[in-house]
Amino acid sequence: MQFLQTADWQIGMKAAATGGAAAAVRAARLEAAARVVAISADFLLVAGDTFEDNAVDRALVQQTGEILSRFRGPVYLLPGNHDPLQPGSVWEHPVWKQYGNLHVVREPQAYAVPGGTLIAAPLCETHSRRDPTLKLVDIPRPEGPVVAMSHGTVEGIDADTEHHPISRDACVRAGAQYLALGHWHSTSLYPDAAGVVRMAYCGTQETTKFGERDSGNALLVRLADGVPAIERIHTGVLSWVSMEEEVKAVGDMARLRDRVAVLPERALVRLEVRGLLHAAEADLLRQLTDMRARFLHFAMDANGLRPVAEDGWEELLPAGAVRLAARQLRERASQGDAVAAEALLELQALAAQVGA
Ligand SMILES: [Mn+2]
């Protein structure tokens, strides 16, 4: 048995926090979805939250159905907590009957799939403290390999979840050899006591926000002799880059600029830079700021950057130990001593306070 696992497409997501890049972020979700359906596998599992919510624009539902129909094999769609199976939901749209290869899971059910059986049960509520995989246990199925599909929060991620908690032993309990999960956006594999991964989140096909550990993937799963082998396939379109950088020595700013300069253009960049800005490098800060035009979204916070005082500043200090200390700190700071650089700044701040 060989199949592709995807989830959490969240088509219709507003992405309002990305400002002017929101339209590009929304379009990228469809582009990444198209990448998923172009991958070859015997069947495709969409493990919930295909849509942001049940109020998504119906033209977008139609478009999503058309993308899914392009997969060369049967597709099984699980209603998730964002798009639960309810009256008036996206699952009433005619597109799901328009294409013969699209199957929406509408009740706890077994499906004959190439190489075995799929068992799945839809989510019908946004919030629930019940384990959705309990509904899989009693689904009658023929002999042979069984793969299960569900959507929720694996035990241990969030102890007090209202997002459909899923037991660690859900796969074995359901009598399956593998449990394909959706809901969490980063790829996560759960090895059992023997080290075999029988339960995994594929993660979202396209990153949804900054800080996602490992999103923008699909999983190609091969089940041979009851043992799954999992291959991660990157499907993400945009790069979400979050950088927190501290600059101290001369040269640090230039290195930071060079790193930002080679980021892909289809990127959303969040850059926080703090530390010391040497007078000679002030232009580099301007060059960094000017790079905003290269990216879809570029938010730079340089409030933590403090200018290093001009050369000769210490000559204004009272003669003696303090001036000598300042000179020595400057010398060591210029050689890359971070503690000395920090101390020099503190000294400058103190001097400014007392009007030196
Ligand atoms: Mn979800």
Side-chain angles (χ1 to χ4, degrees), residues 8 49 81-82 151 183:
D8 299 276
D49 291 356
N81 64 306
H82 274 262
H151 187 97
H183 187 52

Side-chain angles (χ1 to χ4, degrees), residues 88-168:
S89 75
V90 289
W91 307 113
E92 292 183 358
H93 193 281
V95 74
W96 309 118
K97 292 192 177 126
Q98 191 179 336
Y99 297 101
N101 67 329
L102 303 185
H103 308 277
V104 177
V105 178
R106 297 183 185 277
E107 56 191 59
Q109 195 183 333
Y111 298 85
V113 290
T117 305
L118 164 70
I119 55 173
L123 266 58
C124 302
E125 304 156 288
T126 302
H127 298 288
S128 172
R129 292 184 184 277
R130 280 195 307 275
D131 185 334
T133 64
L134 285 170
K135 288 187 179 162
L136 304 176
V137 176
D138 297 324
I139 296 175
R141 81 286 305 256
E143 291 287 313
V146 176
V147 57
M149 172 163 68
S150 193
H151 187 97
T153 299
V154 169
E155 192 178 33
I157 296 178
D158 177 3
D160 195 31
T161 190
E162 293 184 336
H163 287 277
H164 308 271
I166 290 175
S167 164
R168 288 264 179 171

Side-chain angles (χ1 to χ4, degrees), residues 42-75:
D42 289 343
F43 59 99
L44 173 63
L45 300 181
V46 187
D49 291 356
T50 310
F51 297 98
E52 176 70 4
D53 54 49
N54 272 327
V56 165
D57 184 333
R58 268 30 191 177
L60 210 45
V61 177
Q62 175 72 30
Q63 193 182 355
T64 305
E66 286 169 6
I67 290 172
L68 282 160
S69 76
R70 300 209 296 262
F71 179 76
R72 290 191 191 169
V75 177

